[in-house]
Amino acid sequence: MCGIVGAVSAKDSIAFLLEGLSTLEYRGYDSAGLAVINHGLQRARAKGRVAELAARVEQQALSGTIGIAHTRWATHGVPAERNAHPHISAGLAVVHNGIIENYEALREQLQALGYVFTSDTDTETIAHLIQACFKGEIGEPAENLFSAVQCAVKHLTGAFALAVVSEEEPDGLVVAREGSPLMLGITEEGHYAASDASALLSVTQQMMYLENGDVARLTRDAVVVVDAVGQPVKRDIVTSHLSANAVELGEFNHYMQKEMFEQPQALGNTLEMLSGAGQLHPGIFGADAQGVFEQVDSVLILACGTSSYAGMTAKYWIEQVAGIPCNVEIASEYRYRVSVPNPNQLGVVISQSGETADTLAALQHAKTLGHTHTLAICNVPESAIVRETALRFITRAGPEIGVASTKAFTTQLSALFLLTLLLAKGKQRLLEADEKAYLDELRHLPIAVEKVLALEPSIQAWSQQFANKHHALFLGRGRHFPVALEGALKLKEISYIHAEAYPAGELKHGPLALVDAEMPVVVVAPNDEMLEKLKANMQEVSARGGQLYVFADGDSKVRSTDGVKVLAMPEHYGLLSPVLHVVSLQLLSYHVALVKGTDVDKPRNLAKSVTVE
Ligand code: F6R
């Protein structure tokens, strides 16, 4: 959510700043801005995309070796040029990721000191606060920008990653972080900062990850870091394993398309440890996993959005295969509700980004309630969530840029299935022959997903019929109900068609009233123990004129008739069937969005990685 970059370089920084912003644009895309130091402070801002900013920068003929830049997802204040970052206080400019919770009180304090605000943002407060610290109007007069920022961050409550430049100090920039990610790029010719490693790849793979509470000063030749108590610290420089082409679009039209088609590879990478393995070892979740899996008596899953649907699917698996209770809670609810803690419960957080504010806070809340057994399933190894759990499994989906999550979801499912099997082993509930059969199925999963992706032309043909609809229903039963939820979410977020998902048996308890000839009803119909019940539910829809679009396993014996369209899934896949069925729903949403002409990768009002509450 929002993206920041900064540079102190031997050469002009504009190209790096704009390229970095383009890489981070999926994090927020309602306005963008940059500031450079070149005979004073110069700034360009624009409502809309980075391309609009680039045009402004050219018009204003900006250049400079030191600069900061920002792409915004609005929290405080509407998307508008005056609310775009950088925010300025006299000759000092700030870009900011995160939310300052005490900004109203600070704003009043700063207004009383004579500071005039020109935006509705919390960020402008930071700019004036640093200025007030610099001048000694708050605290002792600061020696330099570095100590002014150290003074200012002590007054901030909330989450932030900041980059600050001042025309008083035209040889460097200062950055700080608390709660929001920030890393530095280390090169011979200069130093760089960004809120996401991908934005640094155009200049280097050598990265220094700042810790919470760190403030750092970057000049061309040096980086100085102090920790939360002002002590100089050394942070390791690590080589990022991300490759620049992992975040490039290549032959695809959209990141979502690329990421859907990367799923076989992403699953293969995530399950790589299975190649040739006759059995599973708990060590894949961490050194202490075996003891924990034997000891815990239940599971609590915490996550948001698509990741929570992965958790809901796992609930069916864990209770059926491992035989222990599993609850799934929406992180933003759990963190505030009064719950009954159980120290013998395994707390599992699922997150693609590892930075989702609600999921992180829910994890921290669980820990304060006494949950010591914590486990993260996450796609970003260096993320805050991974650093805060005792056990972890890193999915190897690669960077996910499309706002609508696809490959992160299917790889999360594969990791959760591994967890299910290991919990079952820990409880002595998994026969050797069953373990072997499940491992074979997991190994075959990439090929099975390929076959679903090959259905694209037929799914594309269906998409035309959704494009002029305003509503859609998604039905599933059992472990495919979360798949229906995920299908509805995908359709909503990228095509803006209102979609709801129900466990099919619930239809007659209310939603059936919505069904008429204008209502497409998408049904996830695997050939499992619920199929006959599901067929009865489909009859209820047909009898009311509803239009059924059924994804049925080949042997489901559901036939296309008037008002019933059936697409045969290539393989029936038992417990792992949700992984296949969801891919067909991803393709459906994608093609409906294409017909509707929406911005698939950057849907309105949304952004990737929700680092604000
Ligand atoms: C939907 C989507 C979101 C995320 C949610 C959690 O396509 O991407 O619902 O799943 O914001 O994000 P992570 O998994 O990064 O915690």
Side-chain angles (χ1 to χ4, degrees):
M1 223 151 230
C2 301
I4 62 177
V5 282
V8 189
S9 169
K11 51 182 194 194
D12 188 64
S13 64
I14 295 285
F16 165 77
L17 294 174
L18 287 173
E19 191 176 339
L21 286 190
S22 302
T23 309
L24 296 183
E25 201 172 24
Y26 70 114
R27 299 293 193 110
Y29 33 86
D30 58 46
S31 52
L34 64 74
V36 284
I37 304 285
N38 189 354
H39 305 292
L41 182 69
Q42 300 178 23
R43 171 176 73 172
R45 297 185 295 175
K47 183 168 179 246
R49 302 291 168 90
V50 174
E52 320 281 332
L53 175 68
R56 284 285 167 87
V57 168
E58 204 177 324
Q59 251 171 26
Q60 293 177 228
L62 291 190
S63 66
T65 54
I66 298 178
I68 54 175
H70 187 268
T71 178
R72 179 168 186 253
W73 183 84
T75 56
H76 300 76
V78 295
E81 189 173 328
R82 74 193 160 80
N83 288 328
H85 303 206
H87 289 282
I88 287 183
S89 183
L92 174 159
V94 176
V95 291
H96 162 224
N97 263 8
I99 283 199
I100 303 305
E101 286 164 12
N102 60 338
Y103 85 101
E104 279 168 326
L106 286 171
R107 192 176 169 118
E108 275 172 28
Q109 190 184 354
L110 289 158
Q111 276 169 333
L113 288 169
Y115 287 93
V116 176
F117 283 77
T118 57
S119 78
D120 309 317
T121 64
D122 50 345
T123 305
E124 194 178 3
T125 314
I126 308 174
H128 292 317
L129 178 64
I130 297 171
Q131 190 67 263
C133 286
F134 205 37
K135 291 185 182 155
E137 293 165 339
I138 292 178
E140 296 293 309
E143 276 170 40
N144 49 33
L145 184 64
F146 191 34
S147 43
V149 173
Q150 286 178 70
C151 153
V153 294
K154 291 198 177 75
H155 295 270
L156 299 176
T157 309
F160 53 83
L162 307 175
V164 191
V165 289
S166 164
E167 57 190 20
E168 303 273 321
E169 293 187 16
D171 64 336
L173 62 92
V174 177
V175 298
R177 74 156 286 200
E178 178 65 52
S180 298
L182 191 65
M183 56 236 48
L184 309 182
I186 312 293
T187 76
E188 298 267 290
E189 67 179 19
H191 293 111
Y192 302 84
S195 51
D196 190 300
S198 57
L200 297 172
L201 291 174
S202 65
V203 285
T204 186
Q205 288 185 301
Q206 298 303 106
M207 305 205 182
M208 182 190 286
Y209 287 84
L210 297 182
E211 300 281 336
N212 273 337
D214 284 356
V215 182
R217 174 165 156 75
L218 282 60
T219 54
R220 236 187 84 178
D221 308 315
V223 171
V224 176
V225 187
V226 297
D227 65 13
V229 290
Q231 286 302 311
V233 277
K234 261 183 91 71
R235 301 288 177 218
D236 293 341
I237 298 173
V238 294
T239 306
S240 168
H241 297 299
L242 273 180
S243 69
N245 64 11
V247 291
E248 276 165 16
L249 203 46
E251 71 202 73
F252 294 95
N253 296 319
H254 299 97
Y255 280 103
M256 183 180 176
Q257 184 192 28
K258 174 177 186 250
E259 288 158 9
M260 286 188 298
F261 281 87
E262 278 174 351
Q263 287 178 110
Q265 182 70 47
L267 284 162
N269 291 345
T270 300
L271 298 170
E272 197 180 21
M273 86 297 279
L274 299 184
S275 79
Q279 53 172 322
L280 265 183
H281 294 288
I284 57 174
F285 283 87
D288 301 329
Q290 178 154 4
V292 173
F293 293 165
E294 282 167 10
Q295 195 186 332
V296 292
D297 63 10
S298 55
V299 178
L300 169 68
I301 296 180
L302 303 168
C304 299
T306 290
S307 295
S308 76
Y309 299 147
M312 283 176 72
T313 312
K315 177 183 165 76
Y316 288 88
W317 289 337
I318 290 170
E319 298 208 347
Q320 181 175 341
V321 183
I324 55 174
C326 175
N327 277 340
V328 186
E329 299 229 19
I330 299 292
S332 55
E333 286 296 309
Y334 171 79
R335 63 183 285 196
Y336 291 116
R337 85 179 183 86
V338 178
S339 55
V340 182
N342 169 3
N344 291 323
Q345 198 163 43
L346 177 63
V348 178
V349 278
I350 309 171
S351 175
Q352 186 284 128
S353 61
E355 304 290 345
T356 301
D358 284 318
T359 309
L360 181 59
L363 167 65
Q364 289 160 343
H365 179 63
K367 282 170 44 175
T368 60
L369 292 181
H371 284 268
T372 49
H373 304 308
T374 56
L375 186 157
I377 291 178
C378 187
N379 197 35
V380 183
E382 312 82 13
S383 61
I385 283 175
V386 172
R387 277 184 300 204
E388 293 209 17
T389 51
L391 303 175
R392 70 217 39 178
F393 184 96
I394 306 299
T395 50
R396 289 175 54 199
E400 194 180 65
I401 309 287
V403 164
S405 187
T406 52
K407 62 179 180 172
F409 181 72
T410 42
T411 52
Q412 284 166 353
L413 287 178
S414 68
L416 286 159
F417 198 73
L418 293 174
L419 176 64
T420 303
L421 298 182
L422 285 165
L423 285 168
K425 271 182 103 165
K427 304 291 162 209
Q428 320 284 338
R429 284 179 57 107
L430 191 64
L431 298 175
E432 233 178 271
D434 288 342
E435 179 177 356
K436 202 178 153 310
Y438 286 136
L439 294 188
D440 284 344
E441 282 181 23
L442 280 167
R443 277 188 280 259
H444 179 66
L445 207 47
I447 293 173
V449 168
E450 290 278 10
K451 291 187 193 164
V452 181
L453 288 166
L455 296 178
E456 189 181 25
S458 316
I459 296 176
Q460 185 174 8
W462 278 9
S463 63
Q464 299 288 346
Q465 291 153 50
F466 282 73
N468 61 351
K469 303 290 183 206
H470 298 291
H471 307 277
L473 279 178
F474 284 69
L475 303 179
R477 294 200 74 147
R479 58 186 170 272
H480 293 86
F481 167 51
V483 172
L485 283 166
E486 172 60 3
L489 178 63
K490 287 286 91 93
L491 192 68
K492 278 187 263 224
E493 65 183 329
I494 61 168
S495 76
Y496 316 148
I497 294 174
H498 171 227
E500 298 281 347
Y502 283 93
E506 270 294 290
L507 262 193
K508 56 190 171 298
H509 298 289
L512 201 53
L514 294 171
V515 170
D516 62 13
E518 283 308 300
M519 177 66 89
V521 180
V522 179
V523 188
V524 185
N527 185 9
D528 65 9
E529 58 286 359
M530 299 303 290
L531 182 64
E532 292 312 314
K533 304 277 175 207
L534 188 69
K535 283 182 180 168
N537 302 138
M538 288 193 279
Q539 292 293 342
E540 292 161 8
V541 173
S542 290
R544 273 113 195 138
Q547 303 299 300
L548 287 164
Y549 294 83
V550 187
F551 290 93
D553 288 355
D555 47 4
S556 290
K557 299 203 176 69
V558 186
R559 305 265 171 260
S560 293
T561 56
D562 246 11
V564 184
K565 294 194 164 41
V566 181
L567 212 148
M569 294 288 285
E571 289 185 56
H572 170 61
Y573 224 76
L575 286 184
L576 283 163
S577 156
V579 183
L580 303 191
H581 271 274
V582 80
V583 173
S584 58
L585 301 187
Q586 294 167 351
L587 285 168
L588 179 65
S589 306
Y590 175 71
H591 282 288
V592 174
L594 289 192
V595 179
K596 290 201 71 180
T598 59
D599 190 340
V600 173
D601 284 334
K602 299 190 181 75
R604 70 182 178 206
N605 305 339
L606 300 178
K608 194 82 176 165
S609 189
V610 187
T611 51
V612 297
E613 189 177 342

